[in-house]
PDB file of all heavy atoms in Angstrom:
ATOM      1  N   HIS N  56      -1.606 -57.935  -9.947  1.00  0.00           N
ATOM      2  CA  HIS N  56      -2.707 -58.949  -9.859  1.00  0.00           C
ATOM      3  C   HIS N  56      -2.416 -59.922  -8.827  1.00  0.00           C
ATOM      4  O   HIS N  56      -2.639 -61.151  -9.062  1.00  0.00           O
ATOM      5  CB  HIS N  56      -2.837 -59.569 -11.252  1.00  0.00           C
ATOM      6  CG  HIS N  56      -3.335 -58.669 -12.249  1.00  0.00           C
ATOM      7  ND1 HIS N  56      -4.619 -58.132 -12.277  1.00  0.00           N
ATOM      8  CD2 HIS N  56      -2.742 -58.081 -13.338  1.00  0.00           C
ATOM      9  CE1 HIS N  56      -4.726 -57.265 -13.290  1.00  0.00           C
ATOM     10  NE2 HIS N  56      -3.579 -57.276 -13.955  1.00  0.00           N
ATOM     11  N   ASP N  57      -1.801 -59.596  -7.728  1.00  0.00           N
ATOM     12  CA  ASP N  57      -1.609 -60.592  -6.583  1.00  0.00           C
ATOM     13  C   ASP N  57      -2.645 -60.163  -5.503  1.00  0.00           C
ATOM     14  O   ASP N  57      -3.178 -59.032  -5.486  1.00  0.00           O
ATOM     15  CB  ASP N  57      -0.196 -60.550  -6.167  1.00  0.00           C
ATOM     16  CG  ASP N  57       0.364 -59.186  -5.929  1.00  0.00           C
ATOM     17  OD1 ASP N  57      -0.418 -58.245  -5.736  1.00  0.00           O
ATOM     18  OD2 ASP N  57       1.592 -58.996  -5.890  1.00  0.00           O
ATOM     19  N   PRO N  58      -2.769 -61.076  -4.496  1.00  0.00           N
ATOM     20  CA  PRO N  58      -3.759 -60.806  -3.447  1.00  0.00           C
ATOM     21  C   PRO N  58      -3.552 -59.421  -2.759  1.00  0.00           C
ATOM     22  O   PRO N  58      -4.569 -58.689  -2.502  1.00  0.00           O
ATOM     23  CB  PRO N  58      -3.531 -61.889  -2.436  1.00  0.00           C
ATOM     24  CG  PRO N  58      -2.938 -62.992  -3.237  1.00  0.00           C
ATOM     25  CD  PRO N  58      -2.167 -62.375  -4.344  1.00  0.00           C
ATOM     26  N   LEU N  59      -2.304 -59.087  -2.474  1.00  0.00           N
ATOM     27  CA  LEU N  59      -2.097 -57.843  -1.677  1.00  0.00           C
ATOM     28  C   LEU N  59      -2.557 -56.621  -2.534  1.00  0.00           C
ATOM     29  O   LEU N  59      -3.159 -55.666  -2.016  1.00  0.00           O
ATOM     30  CB  LEU N  59      -0.595 -57.671  -1.317  1.00  0.00           C
ATOM     31  CG  LEU N  59      -0.344 -56.547  -0.411  1.00  0.00           C
ATOM     32  CD1 LEU N  59      -0.984 -56.827   0.959  1.00  0.00           C
ATOM     33  CD2 LEU N  59       1.171 -56.308  -0.167  1.00  0.00           C
ATOM     34  N   SER N  60      -2.300 -56.702  -3.852  1.00  0.00           N
ATOM     35  CA  SER N  60      -2.704 -55.533  -4.622  1.00  0.00           C
ATOM     36  C   SER N  60      -4.229 -55.413  -4.683  1.00  0.00           C
ATOM     37  O   SER N  60      -4.712 -54.315  -4.674  1.00  0.00           O
ATOM     38  CB  SER N  60      -2.162 -55.736  -6.119  1.00  0.00           C
ATOM     39  OG  SER N  60      -2.842 -56.818  -6.772  1.00  0.00           O
ATOM     40  N   TYR N  61      -4.896 -56.499  -4.696  1.00  0.00           N
ATOM     41  CA  TYR N  61      -6.348 -56.407  -4.611  1.00  0.00           C
ATOM     42  C   TYR N  61      -6.849 -55.903  -3.320  1.00  0.00           C
ATOM     43  O   TYR N  61      -7.851 -55.206  -3.238  1.00  0.00           O
ATOM     44  CB  TYR N  61      -7.008 -57.839  -4.930  1.00  0.00           C
ATOM     45  CG  TYR N  61      -6.892 -58.136  -6.398  1.00  0.00           C
ATOM     46  CD1 TYR N  61      -6.250 -59.295  -6.795  1.00  0.00           C
ATOM     47  CD2 TYR N  61      -7.445 -57.292  -7.332  1.00  0.00           C
ATOM     48  CE1 TYR N  61      -6.060 -59.623  -8.156  1.00  0.00           C
ATOM     49  CE2 TYR N  61      -7.292 -57.580  -8.747  1.00  0.00           C
ATOM     50  CZ  TYR N  61      -6.630 -58.767  -9.089  1.00  0.00           C
ATOM     51  OH  TYR N  61      -6.484 -59.030 -10.435  1.00  0.00           O
ATOM     52  N   THR N  62      -6.109 -56.176  -2.279  1.00  0.00           N
ATOM     53  CA  THR N  62      -6.496 -55.686  -0.946  1.00  0.00           C
ATOM     54  C   THR N  62      -6.384 -54.141  -0.974  1.00  0.00           C
ATOM     55  O   THR N  62      -7.259 -53.469  -0.445  1.00  0.00           O
ATOM     56  CB  THR N  62      -5.586 -56.210   0.148  1.00  0.00           C
ATOM     57  OG1 THR N  62      -5.303 -57.587  -0.128  1.00  0.00           O
ATOM     58  CG2 THR N  62      -6.200 -56.049   1.525  1.00  0.00           C
ATOM     59  N   LEU N  63      -5.298 -53.677  -1.550  1.00  0.00           N
ATOM     60  CA  LEU N  63      -5.086 -52.282  -1.629  1.00  0.00           C
ATOM     61  C   LEU N  63      -6.252 -51.601  -2.461  1.00  0.00           C
ATOM     62  O   LEU N  63      -6.837 -50.613  -2.043  1.00  0.00           O
ATOM     63  CB  LEU N  63      -3.723 -51.956  -2.241  1.00  0.00           C
ATOM     64  CG  LEU N  63      -3.478 -50.442  -2.514  1.00  0.00           C
ATOM     65  CD1 LEU N  63      -3.548 -49.698  -1.210  1.00  0.00           C
ATOM     66  CD2 LEU N  63      -2.095 -50.247  -3.105  1.00  0.00           C
ATOM     67  N   ILE N  64      -6.562 -52.245  -3.558  1.00  0.00           N
ATOM     68  CA  ILE N  64      -7.591 -51.697  -4.425  1.00  0.00           C
ATOM     69  C   ILE N  64      -8.893 -51.665  -3.643  1.00  0.00           C
ATOM     70  O   ILE N  64      -9.668 -50.734  -3.764  1.00  0.00           O
ATOM     71  CB  ILE N  64      -7.723 -52.498  -5.766  1.00  0.00           C
ATOM     72  CG1 ILE N  64      -6.428 -52.257  -6.625  1.00  0.00           C
ATOM     73  CG2 ILE N  64      -8.946 -52.135  -6.517  1.00  0.00           C
ATOM     74  CD1 ILE N  64      -6.341 -53.153  -7.754  1.00  0.00           C
ATOM     75  N   GLU N  65      -9.169 -52.748  -2.947  1.00  0.00           N
ATOM     76  CA  GLU N  65     -10.414 -52.781  -2.226  1.00  0.00           C
ATOM     77  C   GLU N  65     -10.440 -51.650  -1.170  1.00  0.00           C
ATOM     78  O   GLU N  65     -11.503 -51.010  -0.923  1.00  0.00           O
ATOM     79  CB  GLU N  65     -10.488 -54.134  -1.455  1.00  0.00           C
ATOM     80  CG  GLU N  65     -11.941 -54.595  -1.268  1.00  0.00           C
ATOM     81  CD  GLU N  65     -11.997 -55.902  -0.569  1.00  0.00           C
ATOM     82  OE1 GLU N  65     -11.091 -56.707  -0.771  1.00  0.00           O
ATOM     83  OE2 GLU N  65     -12.901 -56.041   0.259  1.00  0.00           O
ATOM     84  N   LYS N  66      -9.315 -51.379  -0.583  1.00  0.00           N
ATOM     85  CA  LYS N  66      -9.262 -50.315   0.392  1.00  0.00           C
ATOM     86  C   LYS N  66      -9.608 -48.975  -0.271  1.00  0.00           C
ATOM     87  O   LYS N  66     -10.331 -48.104   0.238  1.00  0.00           O
ATOM     88  CB  LYS N  66      -7.934 -50.267   1.061  1.00  0.00           C
ATOM     89  CG  LYS N  66      -7.868 -49.163   2.073  1.00  0.00           C
ATOM     90  CD  LYS N  66      -6.649 -49.302   3.000  1.00  0.00           C
ATOM     91  CE  LYS N  66      -6.598 -48.105   3.950  1.00  0.00           C
ATOM     92  NZ  LYS N  66      -6.998 -48.375   5.310  1.00  0.00           N
ATOM     93  N   VAL N  67      -8.959 -48.703  -1.434  1.00  0.00           N
ATOM     94  CA  VAL N  67      -9.211 -47.474  -2.163  1.00  0.00           C
ATOM     95  C   VAL N  67     -10.678 -47.370  -2.600  1.00  0.00           C
ATOM     96  O   VAL N  67     -11.336 -46.298  -2.405  1.00  0.00           O
ATOM     97  CB  VAL N  67      -8.265 -47.382  -3.377  1.00  0.00           C
ATOM     98  CG1 VAL N  67      -8.659 -46.178  -4.173  1.00  0.00           C
ATOM     99  CG2 VAL N  67      -6.877 -47.301  -2.919  1.00  0.00           C
ATOM    100  N   THR N  68     -11.208 -48.435  -3.105  1.00  0.00           N
ATOM    101  CA  THR N  68     -12.606 -48.332  -3.544  1.00  0.00           C
ATOM    102  C   THR N  68     -13.620 -48.277  -2.387  1.00  0.00           C
ATOM    103  O   THR N  68     -14.740 -47.837  -2.656  1.00  0.00           O
ATOM    104  CB  THR N  68     -12.975 -49.578  -4.444  1.00  0.00           C
ATOM    105  OG1 THR N  68     -12.642 -50.734  -3.689  1.00  0.00           O
ATOM    106  CG2 THR N  68     -12.231 -49.530  -5.746  1.00  0.00           C
ATOM    107  N   SER N  69     -13.209 -48.757  -1.256  1.00  0.00           N
ATOM    108  CA  SER N  69     -14.236 -48.801  -0.161  1.00  0.00           C
ATOM    109  C   SER N  69     -14.418 -47.354   0.372  1.00  0.00           C
ATOM    110  O   SER N  69     -15.354 -47.183   1.178  1.00  0.00           O
ATOM    111  CB  SER N  69     -13.699 -49.698   0.956  1.00  0.00           C
ATOM    112  OG  SER N  69     -12.611 -49.089   1.629  1.00  0.00           O
ATOM    113  N   THR N  70     -13.627 -46.427   0.068  1.00  0.00           N
ATOM    114  CA  THR N  70     -13.917 -45.071   0.580  1.00  0.00           C
ATOM    115  C   THR N  70     -14.958 -44.422  -0.251  1.00  0.00           C
ATOM    116  O   THR N  70     -15.155 -44.762  -1.432  1.00  0.00           O
ATOM    117  CB  THR N  70     -12.654 -44.125   0.456  1.00  0.00           C
ATOM    118  OG1 THR N  70     -12.443 -43.933  -0.975  1.00  0.00           O
ATOM    119  CG2 THR N  70     -11.476 -44.739   1.114  1.00  0.00           C
ATOM    120  N   ASN N  71     -15.799 -43.647   0.329  1.00  0.00           N
ATOM    121  CA  ASN N  71     -16.860 -42.958  -0.409  1.00  0.00           C
ATOM    122  C   ASN N  71     -16.351 -41.832  -1.264  1.00  0.00           C
ATOM    123  O   ASN N  71     -17.046 -41.306  -2.095  1.00  0.00           O
ATOM    124  CB  ASN N  71     -17.919 -42.367   0.520  1.00  0.00           C
ATOM    125  CG  ASN N  71     -18.626 -43.506   1.252  1.00  0.00           C
ATOM    126  OD1 ASN N  71     -18.849 -44.507   0.700  1.00  0.00           O
ATOM    127  ND2 ASN N  71     -18.928 -43.281   2.536  1.00  0.00           N
TER     128      ASN N  71
END
Side-chain angles (χ1 to χ4, degrees):
Chain N
H56 296 290
D57 49 20
L59 190 66
S60 71
Y61 287 121
T62 320
L63 175 58
I64 290 169
E65 209 179 325
K66 180 163 176 111
V67 172
T68 52
S69 71
T70 67
N71 292 324

